[in-house]
Amino acid sequence: MFDPDYFKEIDFTKYKRIAVAYSGGVDSLVLLHAFSLIPECKQKLFALHVNHGLSQNSSTWQNHCEQICASLGVNFVVLEIEFSQKKGVSENDMREARYKALLSWTKKEDVLCTGHHKDDHVETIFFRLMRGTGIKGLSGIEQFSQMSGINLVRPLINYPKKDLQDYARLNELNWIEDESNQDLSISRNFIRKKILPSLENKNWPSYLKSLSYLSKKAKEANEILEEVADLDINLCSTDSLNRLSILKIKDLSKARGLNLLFRWLSLKTDLSISSNLIEEVYKNIIFAKESSDPAVSFGKPGKNGSFQLRRFNGILHHFPFVETNSLNGNKKWSWNLQTPLILPTGTLSTKPSSGRGLSSGLSQKGIFIKARTGGERCKPQGRSKSQKLKKLLQEYQVPPWARDRLPLVYIDNELAAVSDLWVCEGFIAKKNEKGLVLNWSDNLDNI
């Protein structure tokens, strides 16, 4: 049977607050009750109840949970979720919204605990098997993990649900049953109610033990794969972990290349990375024709964890999938050269200098910023003649996706500077003259 003393094996003293995701069901109730019996935990214990507002019983459940917490002497917090449309909300939508609410309350010095148990662990493995998964997916639910920088612990993960139910009955705990748990159209409920019981009643009564063993071996195998991937990432990284050498990736076997990409991208987002995405990147970017400009986008523009992958000059680039890809060519932005100018694609600023940058004597003239539209020319310092901006950008190997994001500085309707790349002749600070050095900070480099 479940014993609350087991919690003492996990060091909860290092956390400022202990948050328990408390739905009112038997699993989260047992978790909350067990914590309340440990004095050093109870004094910093908070029950977080997420009210989805989707069931006609939502208010009743909330009141029930509040009463239970009052009887246990535990802090009770309600987190409400509002869906724009209550019909058609999927199980995944609810999960994402629930975790978003829970994580919005917790801070980095806190810990969030959930009531996942061994049956949940096995159901997850089975669900992933049916949907299609790799070695990492077979690891199931981890006891310790992180989400958005917050520590997550599942203290009950090694106990079957039966043990928790026995504990609840023994301690005369009063829990609620969510009617949606009986809905067999929900995949996990079908697995829980139909598939797994038939395994236990037929030829595999020890399926919990067997699948848990598979999970353990998968976790060990995945740790080895991640160690190899980390070595390969370091081998293939260039000046930044956001950029990898395509040539070095090609030198690896396909299996190691795919493993590297999966690990690399998984480290950069909380979103789930699929094997299909990795295959697409490997085929359409790593082995794309040298003359092509392939791109793979993942997620939604502006959404946390979304990204784009591009290649340029033999380098695989990773950067955020932003909503604004270029400056509006029909728009102008006035600027005084003194205060930073925030643009849709980044921030343009200056710092004082001597004999460098823009001549500060020009700061009283009409200054505005525009995007590149085509045909612009500039004569950078040291050049014998002006050149088309397109040629200069190619010569200086500015990636194609960055070119239309650059701000062009105009003074008296003449092109005076191109971002922080060049100041055009006629606008350059003379020797010993006060100047203003431009600095361009692209949003792609700062997210």
Side-chain angles (χ1 to χ4, degrees):
M1 182 183 289
F2 166 67
D3 185 351
D5 283 343
Y6 163 72
F7 283 16
K8 296 178 181 178
E9 297 180 13
I10 304 174
D11 183 15
F12 287 105
T13 60
K14 60 185 178 182
Y15 302 111
K16 186 174 182 179
R17 298 182 300 180
I18 300 172
V20 170
Y22 177 44
S23 65
V26 64
D27 313 328
S28 59
L29 176 56
V30 168
L31 179 61
L32 190 68
H33 184 269
F35 268 125
S36 72
L37 298 178
I38 305 172
E40 58 268 31
C41 291
K42 184 176 181 179
Q43 60 185 357
K44 53 184 178 181
L45 184 61
F46 291 80
L48 307 187
H49 178 76
V50 178
N51 188 334
H52 298 87
L54 296 176
S55 170
Q56 60 182 3
N57 297 315
S58 294
S59 296
T60 302
W61 295 340
Q62 179 177 317
N63 291 334
H64 169 88
C65 291
E66 186 172 12
Q67 291 172 13
I68 293 295
C69 288
S71 68
L72 295 176
V74 172
N75 300 296
F76 181 68
V77 178
V78 177
L79 303 172
E80 295 186 349
I81 296 176
E82 290 187 11
F83 292 98
S84 55
Q85 293 182 342
K86 293 193 175 183
K87 289 187 177 180
V89 178
S90 69
E91 185 181 6
N92 190 58
D93 292 335
M94 290 178 63
R95 179 185 180 278
E96 285 191 4
R98 182 164 60 251
Y99 272 103
K100 183 178 180 180
L102 293 169
L103 294 172
S104 69
W105 185 88
T106 48
K107 298 179 180 178
K108 293 189 182 299
E109 62 268 24
D110 301 333
V111 63
L112 175 60
C113 299
T114 64
H116 292 96
H117 46 74
K118 183 176 283 189
D119 293 60
D120 292 324
H121 175 62
V122 169
E123 287 166 13
T124 297
I125 296 171
F126 206 94
F127 177 75
R128 291 175 180 173
L129 277 170
M130 296 299 98
R131 190 178 57 179
T133 189
I135 294 296
K136 185 173 183 178
L138 290 178
S139 299
I141 302 175
E142 300 284 354
Q143 183 170 30
F144 304 97
S145 64
Q146 280 197 341
M147 186 178 290
S148 299
I150 302 298
N151 290 297
L152 268 66
V153 179
R154 288 102 177 173
L156 307 177
I157 200 67
N158 295 317
Y159 290 90
K161 182 156 188 164
K162 183 179 181 302
D163 284 6
L164 306 183
Q165 291 173 328
D166 289 344
Y167 175 90
R169 294 188 185 100
L170 181 65
N171 288 275
E172 299 181 342
L173 302 182
N174 183 20
W175 67 88
I176 59 177
E177 292 287 351
D178 186 339
E179 72 274 4
S180 68
N181 289 336
Q182 307 303 318
D183 184 358
L184 297 183
S185 67
I186 298 175
S187 300
R188 287 182 179 272
N189 288 346
F190 185 80
I191 292 172
R192 182 182 306 130
K193 299 289 185 180
K194 293 293 184 180
I195 296 179
L196 296 183
S198 67
L199 295 178
E200 186 172 15
N201 295 332
K202 298 290 182 181
N203 300 319
W204 299 281
S206 300
Y207 76 89
L208 270 178
K209 182 178 179 181
S210 299
L211 287 178
S212 294
Y213 177 77
L214 171 65
S215 170
K216 177 185 175 184
K217 303 311 290 184
K219 183 178 180 181
E220 292 172 357
N222 187 63
E223 288 176 357
I224 296 173
L225 290 174
E226 288 184 348
E227 287 178 11
V228 172
D230 290 340
L231 292 173
D232 289 341
I233 289 171
N234 289 329
L235 174 69
C236 297
S237 63
T238 56
D239 58 328
S240 164
L241 287 177
N242 286 329
R243 293 182 281 276
L244 301 180
S245 166
I246 289 176
L247 183 61
K248 289 182 178 179
I249 295 176
K250 285 183 174 181
D251 284 342
L252 301 173
S253 66
K254 180 178 181 180
R256 281 181 67 169
L258 293 173
N259 183 52
L260 176 157
L261 291 171
F262 180 80
R263 173 67 169 168
W264 184 57
L265 295 177
S266 296
L267 289 171
K268 294 181 175 297
T269 180
D270 287 334
L271 304 178
S272 179
I273 302 295
S274 70
S275 58
N276 288 337
L277 173 69
I278 301 304
E279 289 280 358
E280 182 184 0
V281 173
Y282 192 78
K283 177 182 177 182
N284 296 336
I285 294 188
I286 302 300
F287 281 90
K289 292 181 180 179
E290 293 296 331
S291 59
S292 64
D293 180 26
V296 170
S297 300
F298 176 75
K300 298 178 180 179
K303 184 177 180 181
N304 220 19
S306 298
F307 57 81
Q308 274 197 327
L309 299 175
R310 303 284 291 264
R311 63 176 286 164
F312 181 66
N313 280 357
I315 302 296
L316 176 64
H317 294 255
H318 173 286
F319 47 82
F321 189 12
V322 294
E323 294 178 337
T324 304
N325 292 316
S326 61
L327 287 177
N328 186 336
N330 298 318
K331 191 170 181 179
K332 293 181 181 180
W333 292 267
S334 297
W335 191 30
N336 62 12
L337 287 179
Q338 303 303 316
T339 56
L341 177 65
I342 299 175
L343 298 167
T345 56
T347 301
L348 190 60
S349 60
T350 62
K351 63 179 180 180
S353 67
S354 179
R356 295 174 58 229
L358 281 169
S359 171
S360 60
L362 301 169
S363 61
Q364 303 303 316
K365 299 187 177 183
I367 302 170
F368 62 87
I369 306 301
K370 280 183 62 178
R372 184 172 75 109
T373 56
E376 298 90 352
R377 301 183 71 91
C378 177
K379 183 183 176 183
Q381 190 171 21
R383 294 288 176 122
S384 60
K385 60 181 181 179
S386 69
Q387 290 179 279
K388 285 188 176 180
L389 183 52
K390 179 179 179 181
K391 292 290 186 181
L392 287 171
L393 292 171
Q394 291 173 346
E395 179 184 338
Y396 279 75
Q397 298 186 351
V398 177
W401 60 86
R403 297 172 189 173
D404 289 336
R405 300 178 61 83
L406 296 174
L408 307 188
V409 181
Y410 283 81
I411 299 178
D412 278 352
N413 292 313
E414 289 188 59
L415 179 60
V418 179
S419 180
D420 54 3
L421 297 173
W422 313 287
V423 175
C424 304
E425 188 178 58
F427 300 92
I428 303 170
K430 295 180 176 60
K431 187 177 180 180
N432 298 324
E433 180 189 4
K434 290 183 178 179
L436 293 170
V437 174
L438 294 169
N439 179 64
W440 170 241
S441 180
D442 194 303
N443 291 339
L444 294 181
D445 300 324
N446 295 288
I447 299 180

